Amino acid sequence: MSIAVNIEKTVGDFQLNTEFYADIGITAIFGPSGAGKSTLVNLIAGLVKPDFGYIKIFNEVIFESQQKINVPANKRGIGFVFQDARLFPHMKVESNLKYSNRFGRKGHLSSFTEIVEVLNLAQILHRLPGNLSGGEKQRVAIGRALLSNPKILILDEPLTGLDEGLKAEVIPYLEFVRDNFKIPILYISHSQSEVVRLSDRIVVLEKGRILEQGKTLQILSSFSVAKKLGLRDLSSFVEAKVSKHASDGITELDFAGSKLFLPKIDAILGSKVYLRILAKDITLAIEKPKKISALNILQGKVDEVILGNGPGAIVGIEVGGHRLTTRITQRSLNAMNLKHGQTCFAFLKTVSVATSDVIT
């Protein structure tokens, strides 16, 4: 693995104890405020010293408590982008970008010209940070971090404070960096939609401990994670591909060897989209229903049944490698005799998936 972390840190009454691994691509560090996300990445970056454990980057030990190894922050080869950009206010964009040349590692991940081009910075090189939008500032901060020729990138909630329009402006650049620079990226966020779109793997923190880690879509669709984090609505997150925009206002998606139908969405043919499907919008049947208004009918197998304290139950359905979660009554569960491994059909109305739950 490119990054190996096993550390402990006590700050006042707060205790952080984490062990995880990350590789090339984006690994999300996810959790509510106060979970320890920023503390964790500050420890990795060398801004704070752990009490115990080790940190390795590409098998190079940058911290080891027993051997008393603690490589200074500026020698770790980490590009750090903070949520407030932290550009030098008296220096123009060009000077901010080139500043990293003085303190970054020798050699360059990319040239100055390439970074300016891929991040679309040419038109703002001679402007001061005070004259930039929030999205422009974050693009400059990302460019400065890349020009330091980092071994890894840490993005600490880089979209916090940006409105939806500015987030939509920055995210494609983050995707480009993820797909083309081939370096490990730790992306800190408490936004489910951000981490679903950007990351393949996720580490979920709560009160300084790791709740779960693994594939992003699977972890965020986990009932146990949703319950422990107190997420308001139990949901499933799935990936699909846009296959057709029909003349009747319906967009058709390829999903798990089947089709999904949604009200027309603004996405190009062949592009990936991610859907958030609320558990309350999924209905189950043990036989494929006929002549019903719901267009979306998916065959799967029961892989989890959790009985609630009241009349309800949670049922997890495996559909082509994706996880769908629904809530039903225990009376319905017993009537259908649903058990682990049983084939069933999940269906939902086309209009059930709100526009805000389609992540493009």
Side-chain angles (χ1 to χ4, degrees):
M1 293 293 180
S2 304
I3 304 171
V5 176
N6 186 349
I7 51 176
E8 298 177 13
K9 179 67 179 179
T10 299
V11 182
D13 294 332
F14 181 80
Q15 291 185 328
L16 182 82
N17 189 335
T18 58
E19 180 178 4
F20 73 94
Y21 304 90
D23 218 329
I24 290 172
I26 292 182
T27 298
I29 309 297
F30 177 80
S33 297
K37 303 184 299 295
S38 292
T39 299
L40 173 59
V41 294
N42 285 338
L43 291 164
I44 296 170
L47 303 179
V48 180
K49 183 181 177 182
D51 296 330
F52 180 79
Y54 64 81
I55 303 169
K56 299 177 184 178
I57 299 178
F58 290 105
N59 292 320
E60 177 188 351
V61 177
I62 61 172
F63 175 82
E64 217 292 340
S65 56
Q66 293 185 336
Q67 299 182 47
K68 297 184 179 180
I69 297 172
N70 187 26
V71 177
N74 64 328
K75 301 293 185 181
R76 295 191 176 192
I78 297 175
F80 207 124
V81 178
F82 299 89
Q83 60 181 273
D84 57 358
R86 300 195 185 182
L87 303 178
F88 298 110
H90 63 289
M91 295 167 58
K92 294 180 179 179
V93 167
E94 183 173 5
S95 298
N96 265 284
L97 289 170
K98 291 182 175 179
Y99 182 84
S100 59
N101 292 343
R102 297 170 57 186
F103 299 102
R105 295 190 305 138
K106 292 182 179 179
H108 292 284
L109 187 67
S110 296
S111 69
F112 178 83
T113 301
E114 181 182 3
I115 293 297
V116 168
E117 180 180 351
V118 300
L119 294 176
N120 193 24
L121 301 174
Q123 301 301 316
I124 62 173
L125 286 177
H126 301 295
R127 289 164 58 183
L128 290 170
N131 297 321
L132 302 178
S133 70
E136 289 169 337
K137 289 178 182 178
Q138 288 304 85
R139 280 157 44 204
V140 174
I142 293 166
R144 184 174 64 179
L146 289 171
L147 284 168
S148 70
N149 190 33
K151 295 177 181 177
I152 70 170
L153 271 181
I154 293 178
L155 308 179
D156 189 1
E157 305 208 42
L159 303 184
T160 297
L162 301 185
D163 60 31
E164 292 304 315
L166 291 177
K167 287 182 181 179
E169 173 188 320
V170 175
I171 283 180
Y173 296 101
L174 297 177
E175 292 176 315
F176 185 91
V177 171
R178 175 197 65 196
D179 297 338
N180 292 275
F181 285 82
K182 305 302 180 186
I183 61 174
I185 301 170
L186 298 181
Y187 187 90
I188 292 76
S189 179
H190 60 267
S191 166
Q192 292 185 65
S193 61
E194 286 177 27
V195 301
V196 163
R197 177 166 174 177
L198 291 169
S199 69
D200 292 321
R201 290 186 57 79
I202 190 170
V203 176
V204 181
L205 280 180
E206 183 201 30
K207 298 179 180 178
R209 300 291 189 274
I210 293 178
L211 282 180
E212 296 280 352
Q213 56 181 307
K215 293 183 178 180
T216 300
L217 296 183
Q218 292 180 359
I219 296 299
L220 288 182
S221 298
S222 164
F223 170 67
S224 61
V225 170
K227 182 179 180 180
K228 289 177 181 177
L229 292 182
L231 299 181
R232 188 172 182 179
D233 295 310
L234 182 59
S235 307
S236 305
F237 289 88
V238 302
E239 177 186 313
K241 182 179 290 186
V242 179
S243 61
K244 182 179 179 181
H245 294 301
S247 58
D248 61 356
I250 298 295
T251 292
E252 298 181 12
L253 305 174
D254 292 328
F255 168 70
S258 187
K259 292 285 186 181
L260 282 175
F261 304 91
L262 300 180
K264 189 173 182 179
I265 60 177
D266 185 18
I268 63 175
L269 295 179
S271 63
K272 287 193 302 185
V273 297
Y274 300 94
L275 309 177
R276 177 175 180 250
I277 302 173
L278 298 179
K280 65 183 180 64
D281 291 331
I282 298 175
T283 303
L284 296 182
I286 56 176
E287 296 180 355
K288 188 173 183 178
K290 298 178 179 179
K291 296 183 179 180
I292 63 172
S293 60
L295 296 176
N296 299 307
I297 303 174
L298 302 168
Q299 182 175 328
K301 289 187 176 181
V302 176
D303 70 357
E304 185 177 32
V305 176
I306 301 174
L307 301 181
N309 295 325
I314 303 296
V315 180
I317 310 295
E318 191 275 327
V319 181
H322 293 264
R323 183 64 156 15
L324 296 179
T325 304
T326 184
R327 280 192 174 102
I328 63 174
T329 64
Q330 293 185 34
R331 179 176 294 188
S332 295
L333 182 75
N334 294 330
M336 292 188 289
N337 196 28
L338 280 177
K339 297 178 181 178
H340 189 276
Q342 181 177 349
T343 297
C344 64
F345 295 86
F347 58 98
L348 65 152
K349 292 182 178 181
T350 297
V351 296
S352 293
V353 181
T355 301
S356 60
D357 290 328
V358 180
I359 305 166
T360 59

